[in-house]
Structures are given as C-alpha cells and as structure tokens.
Amino acid sequence: MNLLSCGPNPPFLPCSSSSKPRVFMALQHYHSTSPTPFSAFNNNPPLPTSKFPQKPFNLHSLKEKCKQGLLKEAFLSFTKLITHQNPSRVISLDEAYSSILDLCATRNSVAQAQQLHAHIITSNLVSDSVFLSTKLVFMYGKCGHLSHAQKVFDEMPQRTVFTWNAMIGGCVANGRPFQAVDLYREMRASGVALDAHTFPSVLKACGLLGNLDCGSEIHGFAVKCGFDSTVFVVNSLVAMYTKCDRIDEARLLFDRMIDEKDIVSWNSIISAYSANGQSREAIQIFREMSKAGVAVNSYTIVGALQACEDPSFVKLGEEIHGVILKAGQQLELYVANALLVMYSSCGRIDEALRIFHGINEKDNVSWNSMLSGFIQNELYSEAVEFFHEMCEMGLKIDEVSVISVLSALARLGNLSNGMEVHACAVKHGLVSNLQVGNTLMDMYAKCGNVSYMGRVFYNMPYKDFISWTTVIAGNAQNSSYLEALELFRKVQSEGIKVDCMMIGSILLACGGLKSVSHAKQIHNYIIRRGLFDLVLENSLVDVYGECGETNYASLMFETIENKDVVSWTSMVSSFSRNGLANEALGLFHRMGEAGIELDVVALLSALSAAASLSTLKAGKEVHGLLIRKGFPLERSSASSLIDMYARCGTVENACKIIDHVGNRDIVLYTSMINAYGMHGQGKKAISLFEKMISSGLVPDHITYLALLYACSHSGLMDEGREFFRTMESDYKLEPWPEHYACVVDLLGRANCVDDAYNFVKDMPIEPPSVVWCALLGACRVHSNYEIGEIAARKLLEIEPQNPGNHVLVSNVFAAMGRWKDVDEVRMRMRSLGMKKNPACSWIEIGNKIHAFMVQDKSHPQSIEIYSKVSQITERLENEGGYLADTKFVLHNMTDEEKKKMLYGHSERLAIAYALIVTSPGVPIRITKNLRVCGDCHTFTKLVSKFFEREIIVRDANRFHHFKNGRCSCGDFW
C-alpha cells in the first residue's frame, strides 16, 4: 500500500515539474546525514506550492478532520488549502501545518509528515518558524525518529521552553533517559525558564534510570519554582519515587495532596503499590478511592487488576470483572489484557483463554500476555504451540514473545526448536537485544549446548551483569567447570559487580572439579567481600562435601545461625556421599528432633544413607515418611526407593515400587535392571530390558552398563557379549571404559581369562585402570598368574596413587606365594602413606548397627561370640564335612594360624552374633565392605542349611542369598 496516500491512490494534486525538484532537493539535503532512508518519497508526488488564487479557504474544515483522525481526508483538504492560499493569510498556513503535523504524530505517519517538512522548507510561507520547528521536533520524537528530531532541534537558531520540552519528551519516549537528563541540565544552564510541563518528562527519565539523587534534586527545583502543588507534577513525582523503590516517599506526596487529588493521582498511587508487589496496600487505596466518591476509569481498573495478580486477591479480581460486565460497556483492550494477565497469574488459565478469545482486535500485548500465562502456569508445550500459532497468523514477533517462548523451550530442553527461534530472532533483527541474548544463553545452557551458549555470549554487542552471571552458571551447570572459573577471573579483572548468585555458580564449579583449594579461595573471597547469605553458606557445606572435606563441611554447618532444611540436607548428603552413612542417619534424626520440616530432597538423602548401610529398618522408616507427608511416587523418589530396597537385600520390595509407578521412564527401568543384577537375577534383568524396549524407550549408556553388570553377575556370557554388540550397532552408543570392564569381568568370571585378555588387547582405546582391575580380579580367582602379573604391572603403571590397586596386586602376589613381591608392594604403600581398608561387616539388630572387624574383640559380647563361632565350626565340620580352605588367607603364616585367621573373619563374627540374639527362623542380613572370600562363602552356605536360616550378605560386588545350603550367585561371584 502507498504509505503517503493512506489508501489505494495518492490524494495530492499533481505539481509542476519546476516545483518537484525543489521539494526533493530540500528533503535530501536536510536528511543527507540521516541514518534512515527516504526512498519512500520517490514513489509519491510532492505537495504542490501555492498558486495564490483569490478563492478563500475554510481552515476550520481541515482542523475538524484532523481532530477526527481522518488522515486521508485531512491531506485532501490540506492540498486544496496550499493550492488556493492567499498570501495575506499566511498565518492560516501555519495553523494548517500545525494541525496536520499533530495528526501525523498521533497516527505515527512519519512518511506524510516528512513531505510536510519538505514543503515547509521550500514554500517560504511560514510566519513562525520556531513554532513549526517545535511541532516537527515533537512529531519526530513521537514517531520514533529521534535522530531527525535532534537535527531539527540542533539547527533551530531560537528555542522556546516548548521546544526543550518536546525534545526531552522525545528522548524519554524513545528510551534515551540519559539524553533527556542531559538536555534538562543544558536547558537549565541556558537560562530557559522552565514551566510545569518540563518536569513530568525529566522525572520519568529519572525513574527509568532509577536515579533517586537526580530525581530528588529535580523535586527540590520544582518546589523552588512553585510547581510542587501542580497536580500533574506531583503525580510525576509519585511515579518517579515509585520507580526508584521509594514507595514511602511516593505515598507521603500523595497524602499531602488532600483535596487536590485528581483521578491520575489515585491511579498513580494504586499502580505504584501494584508495581511494587504491595497488593494489599493497592487494594486499600482502591477502596478509599471508592469511598471518596471518585469515579474510576479504565486506568484505575487496570491498576486494581494488577494488584489482584496475587492469587490471594483473585476473589476481588473476579468482583471487578463482574462490575465491568454489569456496566454493559465494550471491554477496552488494555482492560481486557489486564484481566487476562490477572487470571493467568492466579492460575486460572482457562478463564484467561476465555478472555483472550473474546478480544476482537488483539494487539501484541494480548498475544504476549497469553503466551506468558502459559509459561507462568508451567504449560510449556502449550506455550510453544501458541507461539507457532502466532507465527502462522503472520503476527509481528517482538522481543517479548521471543523471550517468552525461549523460556518455555529451555524448561522443555527442546534444543531444535530453540535453535529455530534463534533463527527467527536473527530474521526479525532481535538478536542484538540484550534480554533476547541473555535468554538465548539460558536456553542453550538448559539444553546442554555450551558451545552455542558461548557463541551467543561472545557475539553480544553489549553485555550486562546478567549476561556474565548466565554464561558462568551455564558452564558450571554443564560441567564446563574450568571455563566457568576463567570467566569469573575476567569478571574480576574487568571490575564487574559480583553477587551471591554468581558466587554460587563458581562454588558449583569448585565442587565439580573436587578442588578444595579453589573452594577455600572462594570461601575467603566471600568473607572479604561480606557476601555471606544463607544460600551461600549452604553451598559451602555442599561444596566441601563434594570435595571430600567433611570436617570443613561440618564446621561450616555448625556456624550457620539460622539453619533451614537445605542446610541440614546439604550436611546429610555430605556425610552420605563420603561413606559416613551412620553420621548421615544420625544427623537426619537430629534434623527431625530440631523440628525442621522435611522436604523430599532431605528424605532422599536419608534413603541414600540407609542404602549405603543396608539398614532396611531405617529405609522403611524414610519410605513411611514419604507416604505420610504425601510426596508423590515420582521418578527420583521411586528410583531411590528401588535402589534402597535392592541394596538392603529385598529385591521383592523394589519390584513392588516399580509396579506402582504407571508412567515409567528410562531411569526407573535402569534402576530395576541394576537391582536384578545386584541380586544375580540376570534373566529377569534381560526380560525387563526387553519390556523397556517394547514400550518405545531408548536405552542409554547407563542402562547398558546395568544390563552388562547383570549378565556378568549371572554368568550370562553369550547374552552379555551380544548386548555389547547391539549397544554399538543398533543404538550407536560408543562404549565407556566401564562397559569394556564389564565385558572383561563377564569373560573372567566364566573362566575365559585368555579371551578376556585378548579382548583387552583389541580394545580401540587405551585400556584404562578399571579394565586392568577387572582382568586382574579374574586372574586371581582362576589362578592365571601369567596374565595376572601383566595386569598388575599395568595397573600400578596407570594409577600408582590408588591404594586399592596396590592391595589387589598384593593379593595376587600372595596367592602366587611371591611373598617378597608382597612385601615390596606393601612397603611402597607405606612409603606413599597409603592404608588398606580393613575388612568390616555390620549387622542391624533392633535400632543399633553392630560392626565387626577381622579378629575383632571389641564387642561387649566378644567372648560369647567367639564361643559361638567355635560351636558353629565344630558342627559344620562334624555334620557338613566342612574343611577350612587356607588358600584364601593371603598372609605368610602356618596353616594353623591361617585357620584361626579364617575363624575370625568379620562376617563369621556377625553371623555368630545374629544366631545368639535373634529368634530362630528370622533372616540374617549382613553387609561387608570387601568381597566375601571363598571359604566364608562355603561356611555361610553350610550355616544356612544346618541352622535353618536365610542369610543375606551384601559384599563389595553383589548380594548373596544363602538358603538351604545354596547361594543365589551359584558360586559365581
């Protein structure tokens, strides 16, 4: 459509060829330095210059058309005016220019206004150039062409207060508050006498900048000038103080107005309280206004509805809505939008949609408000669909809609659609917007694409504090810990403000790196800068726990004055993840005694500790708490319960948990597959895996790890090898070192040590320590000392600082009778400060856990326990043919000494104690920190038969269910 014509055909009369170049040359000269192209003028004939016939013209007709907003008709009248104007009545032409420039400003019709500007330059019929230049400044500012307004302003030889006010107002309207304040200061310095209309614009600029000092200074000058009692100036002061978060000063000004308050005053203070989240105060003012008999208008309604966005005031919002409907008037657009936002904020998305669909002529605010409403109510998929609908309808996409949909996609983790919206932002020229850039980074971070997040960050033309905070948090949350620390160093070197949120991300990076030195540096930085708050204190507890420094974590925990549930949970988790499960459960009980309201995270931390100790009673107690507190059986809680019951030896209870979950995901299936594997039920693990595949779920690396582990512990060698093959061929999953180790373990347990060694040699990657460790374990079990020595050397070469490797190598040498090599390995361990973890077994009796070390005599009933061991051994020798197998004692001593050593193994002491204190027939549950030796395995099988007890032993590798002289592992562990 032709912009200047306001319709299909231009309304202007043709002009002479001689006048046409003058108009264009004037405009081209005037705008030669303008950044905005004016090619639009080339498609429209310019306004004709006057021919001065004597026929008079009625200016009133033109003014009426302008008042009515009839742009096309006004230009037709204007064309007649300038072709019939009498030179003696030039003043009428000034008025005509003024009227139509005002109309162009109102209609944002800058192209038509530019033609008028050109005609003003070339006609030489203007009597008051200052007046019309001021009108041009106002028009360009109103139409968003601030550079043109500035050019007119700069070239004016004389300026009035109205000119300055128009330029300051244009700066504010176009998002240049700094420039507006500078102009105000220049105006003051020029000695121009300010009027009351100067203050609203410059006060609004101060509010936008949040510059309270400047705003207060202008307030003082307004008082000095005597404008402090002018209602619209006071209203502007109220708005400025509100924007600067000084609501008390705003209220004081409002209260001082007494009888001078107008509708704008009431609306201003209501909106001020609403904008500051003080809904109760806003509603109180609204009620006072009604009592005062002040008639409300649409702006009052909007302010009151904004206050009702607090869900506790939704009832009042509904009442206001009812009053609007009873009035029977057509719902104004901004009132409808306010209703839409109010219902969305109160969780009434259905009512918000009804309002939205009832709006006949929706604007961008309507669409964006509805889009935000979906996101507020966590309807992210619906938000994305709504955005697509906006695009399909050809609506103008702005930064608000882009930011909103990116937020939804971030929460959905939808990277592909997020990239599409990124492309959309580029297409619409929005990508340089600061908030769009920050939201794009957040979306890429939440979708796990650190590379794209970094590209957005480094390509941003301007970065604010939120940009740096977002990129640091994105790297920390996506395991790019070193990059997060490097960015933090840049923040410090560039003098950018650091807050608690940024420090929290850096602490996360320190925990991820398990770098206690970095954590201590940041801790010192927090102390020096006085940045401590409860969130950071809790984070420090957590990061010290992540770094294995439970003493530091505990000290930090004790210094927190006002501990909340997060403080306690962080400490419980720190103990639990560092093998201090007893301390974790003890602290959990203290937490309950302290009256802390337990949340689901705290309960899951306690479940983890119960699982570590295999304390079924404690695990069931936590399960009961989850039920009593009404926490739903969701993915995290269900998988934690499955893991707890499995590690406490009751795989049947784990099965019941998964049976109660309707919508199972890959995490739940993987947890249950792992549970079956832990208990040697490989066939069931495979069956569940096949069920998972048939449900349409795609296995990941961890699922295959659990499956291979199950095959390994059930002797399913062929099945395991096939699964390893399909993992690569069918699902394109590149094996981790742990997957290779599982295959080596699988082959080794089946006594295919040579095949296992060949598999290791043929690996496409350099075999890591975990693979050599699996091979060495197989060599020890099956006495393949030749390959065992190769594996031992490789293991010590790759990880010379790992004490567990030294112990394993020492045991292999001991089994070979190479005592000199054993002594050498043990001497090396001592020189490096390494210690072997002593064998320990524990059993839960009543509310207490009883722990036993090898040859332990610290238990109060120690004499009775050893006596019981002797009785058990004697009966097994006489009735079961038991003979101690001394090859499992890896010490250089006599056979008799070895037998005594076997009789004092920790699990035998635990079994003996259980037989003393528990009733006949009650199952015995024992946990051991190391692998059960072959002789104790035989011993326990016989005890289960001759003493008619089910004995469940969890060792470092798996569970053993001993019953009627047999073990669930089939002697394959």
Side-chain angles (χ1 to χ4, degrees):
M1 188 178 80
N2 193 312
L3 290 175
L4 290 179
S5 68
C6 304
N9 298 302
F12 309 118
L13 295 175
C15 62
S16 66
S17 59
S18 61
S19 66
K20 187 175 182 179
R22 287 177 61 214
V23 176
F24 287 133
M25 288 173 64
L27 263 177
Q28 288 168 1
H29 169 73
Y30 187 80
H31 295 295
S32 60
T33 58
S34 169
T36 305
F38 291 92
S39 57
F41 291 113
N42 297 329
N43 300 322
N44 298 279
L47 295 169
T49 53
S50 174
K51 298 178 182 178
F52 310 127
Q54 296 302 312
K55 184 179 178 181
F57 179 77
N58 185 2
L59 181 61
H60 180 73
S61 173
L62 172 62
K63 287 185 174 181
E64 281 300 313
K65 289 180 174 63
C66 288
K67 284 180 182 178
Q68 294 170 25
L70 304 171
L71 188 59
K72 180 178 178 180
E73 291 79 357
F75 263 94
L76 282 168
S77 295
F78 186 71
T79 303
K80 292 177 183 178
L81 171 63
I82 60 177
T83 54
H84 297 285
Q85 179 62 44
N86 188 319
S88 65
R89 299 187 62 198
V90 173
I91 186 64
S92 297
L93 193 56
D94 283 3
E95 291 181 55
Y97 279 131
S98 172
S99 296
I100 203 161
L101 280 172
D102 286 343
L103 177 57
C104 289
T106 304
R107 294 286 298 274
N108 197 19
S109 303
V110 73
Q112 290 89 333
Q114 286 170 331
Q115 281 226 2
L116 288 171
H117 188 182
H119 200 270
I120 290 168
I121 295 170
T122 58
S123 67
N124 299 317
L125 298 176
V126 175
S127 64
D128 191 345
S129 61
V130 175
F131 170 70
L132 282 181
S133 294
T134 299
K135 287 286 182 181
L136 284 165
V137 170
F138 174 78
M139 179 277 298
Y140 279 127
K142 192 83 182 290
C143 293
H145 288 250
L146 191 63
S147 60
H148 302 340
Q150 185 72 56
K151 190 169 181 64
V152 175
F153 180 82
D154 290 343
E155 292 186 359
M156 289 177 67
Q158 293 180 340
R159 301 173 188 136
T160 66
V161 65
F162 307 109
T163 314
W164 287 93
N165 289 350
M167 193 63 218
I168 291 170
C171 290
V172 174
N174 287 277
R176 301 286 184 86
F178 278 113
Q179 193 174 337
V181 173
D182 287 343
L183 275 169
Y184 164 77
R185 288 179 176 141
E186 188 182 339
M187 182 182 181
R188 290 274 307 275
S190 300
V192 179
L194 279 65
D195 67 6
H197 295 278
T198 308
F199 292 96
S201 293
V202 73
L203 285 169
K204 185 175 182 180
C206 294
L208 291 170
L209 293 168
N211 191 335
L212 181 64
D213 291 338
C214 183
S216 300
E217 180 189 323
I218 293 167
H219 183 184
F221 192 69
V223 173
K224 185 177 178 182
C225 294
F227 296 130
D228 58 317
S229 58
T230 305
V231 174
F232 63 82
V233 173
V234 179
N235 291 341
S236 300
L237 283 164
V238 168
M240 181 275 293
Y241 281 117
T242 300
K243 289 282 187 184
C244 294
D245 293 325
R246 302 300 285 265
I247 193 73
D248 291 339
E249 281 88 339
R251 179 62 185 270
L252 190 62
L253 283 169
F254 174 79
D255 289 340
R256 283 178 180 171
M257 295 175 77
I258 310 174
D259 299 329
E260 298 169 357
K261 299 184 184 80
D262 63 0
I263 184 69
V264 177
S265 311
W266 289 95
N267 291 346
S268 296
I269 197 67
I270 290 170
S271 297
Y273 277 121
S274 296
N276 279 269
Q278 298 183 42
S279 299
R280 193 174 298 281
E281 290 80 358
I283 289 166
Q284 181 62 37
I285 295 284
F286 177 66
R287 286 177 175 146
E288 287 177 18
M289 183 179 177
S290 299
K291 288 178 184 176
V294 181
V296 302
N297 63 11
S298 299
Y299 293 102
T300 319
I301 297 295
V302 169
L305 286 172
Q306 287 173 342
C308 295
E309 289 171 19
D310 184 328
S312 57
F313 296 109
V314 67
K315 199 79 175 169
L316 178 61
E318 289 175 331
E319 289 175 14
I320 295 171
H321 188 185
V323 170
I324 296 169
L325 293 175
K326 282 179 185 177
Q329 296 177 350
Q330 187 175 357
L331 205 61
E332 291 178 89
L333 180 59
Y334 48 90
V335 174
N337 288 340
L339 279 167
L340 191 162
V341 172
M342 185 271 292
Y343 280 120
S344 295
S345 300
C346 295
R348 298 280 298 279
I349 197 71
D350 53 340
E351 191 64 27
L353 267 171
R354 195 181 67 77
I355 298 288
F356 176 79
H357 290 308
I359 302 173
N360 292 325
E361 294 187 12
K362 305 173 182 73
D363 63 359
N364 262 32
V365 175
S366 314
W367 288 90
N368 286 335
S369 297
M370 196 66 243
L371 181 61
S372 298
F374 283 123
I375 294 163
Q376 276 180 296
N377 289 275
E378 300 182 2
L379 300 169
Y380 305 123
S381 298
E382 289 83 349
V384 175
E385 288 176 18
F386 189 78
F387 179 78
H388 286 154
E389 185 182 341
M390 290 174 67
C391 295
E392 287 167 6
M393 291 186 68
L395 292 167
K396 182 183 177 183
I397 303 301
D398 60 15
E399 59 267 19
V400 177
S401 43
V402 166
I403 289 167
S404 295
V405 76
L406 284 173
S407 300
L409 291 166
R411 286 166 174 81
L412 290 169
N414 190 332
L415 179 61
S416 59
N417 280 356
M419 294 175 78
E420 287 176 12
V421 175
H422 188 175
C424 177
V426 173
K427 180 182 174 182
H428 287 84
L430 301 171
V431 77
S432 60
N433 179 277
L434 178 63
Q435 285 184 292
V436 171
N438 289 341
T439 312
L440 275 168
M441 283 197 295
D442 183 62
M443 181 275 294
Y444 281 124
K446 285 185 168 63
C447 291
N449 195 316
V450 179
S451 174
Y452 274 49
M453 178 193 69
R455 287 188 198 178
V456 172
F457 176 76
Y458 289 111
N459 287 325
M460 287 173 69
Y462 172 72
K463 303 173 183 70
D464 66 356
F465 171 71
I466 294 172
S467 313
W468 287 95
T469 303
T470 303
V471 75
I472 289 172
N475 277 292
Q477 290 161 9
N478 286 282
S479 304
S480 295
Y481 306 124
L482 291 174
E483 180 66 18
L485 291 174
E486 185 57 36
L487 284 164
F488 183 64
R489 289 190 186 98
K490 288 182 182 178
V491 163
Q492 292 176 290
S493 65
E494 294 187 20
I496 298 167
K497 180 183 73 172
V498 173
D499 71 351
C500 295
M501 187 177 291
M502 188 182 288
I503 292 293
S505 296
I506 295 303
L507 286 173
L508 178 64
C510 294
L513 290 169
K514 303 199 183 307
S515 173
V516 70
S517 61
H518 280 104
K520 287 179 179 178
Q521 287 176 40
I522 300 301
H523 191 171
N524 288 330
Y525 180 87
I526 293 167
I527 294 169
R528 288 198 309 272
R529 296 297 178 96
L531 292 173
F532 265 120
D533 66 2
L534 183 58
V535 174
L536 278 187
E537 289 174 325
N538 292 341
S539 297
L540 279 165
V541 172
D542 198 58
V543 75
Y544 281 130
E546 287 277 2
C547 297
E549 295 287 345
T550 51
N551 287 335
Y552 279 114
S554 189
L555 285 170
M556 188 67 236
F557 172 75
E558 295 300 338
T559 61
I560 300 173
E561 290 184 15
N562 301 308
K563 300 178 182 70
D564 62 0
V565 65
V566 179
S567 316
W568 289 86
T569 303
S570 297
M571 195 63 234
V572 170
S573 297
S574 295
F575 281 138
S576 185
R577 74 167 65 99
N578 285 287
L580 300 170
N582 268 322
E583 289 82 350
L585 284 177
L587 189 65
F588 178 73
H589 289 131
R590 267 182 61 196
M591 187 176 175
E593 291 165 4
I596 301 295
E597 184 63 32
L598 301 172
D599 62 8
V600 71
V601 181
L603 291 168
L604 295 186
S605 298
L607 270 181
S608 176
S612 297
L613 286 171
S614 290
T615 56
L616 182 61
K617 189 168 187 275
K620 283 183 172 180
E621 286 175 0
V622 177
H623 187 182
L625 282 169
L626 278 166
I627 294 169
R628 286 199 299 278
K629 290 187 174 292
F631 292 120
L633 199 61
E634 295 176 327
R635 186 180 79 169
S636 57
S637 55
S639 59
S640 294
L641 283 167
I642 288 169
D643 182 62
M644 181 275 293
Y645 279 120
R647 292 169 74 184
C648 289
T650 58
V651 73
E652 303 82 9
N653 285 356
C655 290
K656 289 177 184 176
I657 296 295
I658 197 169
D659 288 342
H660 276 84
V661 180
N663 189 20
R664 299 172 195 164
D665 62 3
I666 192 171
V667 175
L668 277 176
Y669 275 108
T670 301
S671 297
M672 196 63 225
I673 290 168
N674 187 60
Y676 281 134
M678 205 183 294
H679 289 268
Q681 299 180 24
K683 293 288 186 183
K684 288 185 178 180
I686 292 172
S687 176
L688 188 62
F689 176 78
E690 290 169 348
K691 186 176 180 180
M692 184 192 85
I693 298 297
S694 64
S695 72
L697 291 172
V698 178
D700 60 10
H701 282 89
I702 299 173
T703 309
Y704 265 106
L705 197 58
L707 187 64
L708 290 171
Y709 172 87
C711 291
S712 172
H713 283 273
S714 300
L716 304 173
M717 185 173 70
D718 293 337
E719 292 89 337
R721 295 174 94 162
E722 179 61 18
F723 282 128
F724 184 79
R725 186 192 66 77
T726 59
M727 170 186 172
E728 295 184 273
S729 62
D730 295 358
Y731 295 101
K732 311 303 178 190
L733 295 171
E734 187 176 338
W736 293 347
E738 290 83 2
H739 294 102
Y740 288 112
C742 269
V743 175
V744 171
D745 190 60
L746 178 75
L747 296 169
R749 287 177 189 278
N751 200 13
C752 299
V753 179
D754 289 334
D755 288 346
Y757 182 49
N758 290 330
F759 177 82
V760 172
K761 290 191 293 183
D762 292 340
M763 280 174 57
I765 61 171
E766 186 66 30
S769 60
V770 66
V771 171
W772 290 112
C773 191
L775 183 61
L776 184 57
C779 292
R780 187 190 69 176
V781 171
H782 299 292
S783 304
N784 191 323
Y785 301 128
E786 183 181 348
I787 295 175
E789 186 165 359
I790 296 170
R793 302 293 179 197
K794 282 286 185 182
L795 199 56
L796 293 180
E797 181 184 313
I798 294 169
E799 282 190 351
Q801 301 299 321
N802 188 328
N805 293 342
H806 283 77
V807 171
L808 185 57
V809 170
S810 171
N811 289 344
V812 170
F813 286 150
M816 296 165 64
R818 292 169 54 174
W819 300 112
K820 186 177 179 182
D821 291 328
V822 170
D823 292 339
E824 186 180 318
V825 171
R826 289 176 180 170
M827 283 180 63
R828 189 184 308 159
M829 287 181 68
R830 282 193 291 272
S831 67
L832 293 171
M834 297 178 184
K835 290 183 179 179
K836 175 187 175 183
N837 286 330
C840 178
S841 297
W842 58 93
I843 184 169
E844 184 181 14
I845 304 291
N847 292 319
K848 189 175 179 183
I849 294 172
H850 299 261
F852 300 92
M853 311 288 278
V854 63
Q855 300 291 318
D856 191 1
K857 294 186 180 178
S858 62
H859 196 277
Q861 293 174 259
S862 178
I863 295 172
E864 190 178 355
I865 290 168
Y866 275 95
S867 174
K868 188 68 174 178
V869 170
S870 297
Q871 291 173 24
I872 295 167
T873 305
E874 186 177 346
R875 182 176 174 184
L876 297 184
E877 287 174 342
N878 294 334
E879 300 179 28
Y882 167 69
L883 289 174
D885 191 344
T886 56
K887 73 176 182 182
F888 293 105
V889 179
L890 303 175
H891 293 277
N892 189 10
M893 55 179 64
T894 65
D895 278 354
E896 201 58 39
E897 289 173 320
K898 288 182 178 181
K899 282 183 182 181
K900 286 183 180 179
M901 181 74 76
L902 283 172
Y903 298 159
H905 273 193
S906 61
E907 57 266 56
R908 300 194 195 201
L909 300 178
I911 290 170
Y913 180 68
L915 290 173
I916 293 169
V917 298
T918 61
S919 303
V922 173
I924 297 171
R925 300 176 187 275
I926 296 169
T927 304
K928 184 174 182 179
N929 65 334
L930 301 179
R931 182 180 181 273
V932 172
C933 78
D935 187 66
C936 286
H937 194 266
T938 302
F939 178 89
T940 310
K941 282 198 296 184
L942 292 171
V943 171
S944 72
K945 178 180 179 180
F946 289 98
F947 289 84
E948 298 179 353
R949 290 290 189 102
E950 181 182 3
I951 304 173
I952 300 134
V953 178
R954 173 187 158 192
D955 71 3
N957 288 347
R958 57 170 300 153
F959 270 91
H960 301 264
H961 293 257
F962 299 94
K963 194 171 184 180
N964 298 323
R966 304 181 66 150
C967 180
S968 61
C969 73
D971 298 337
F972 185 84
W973 84 103

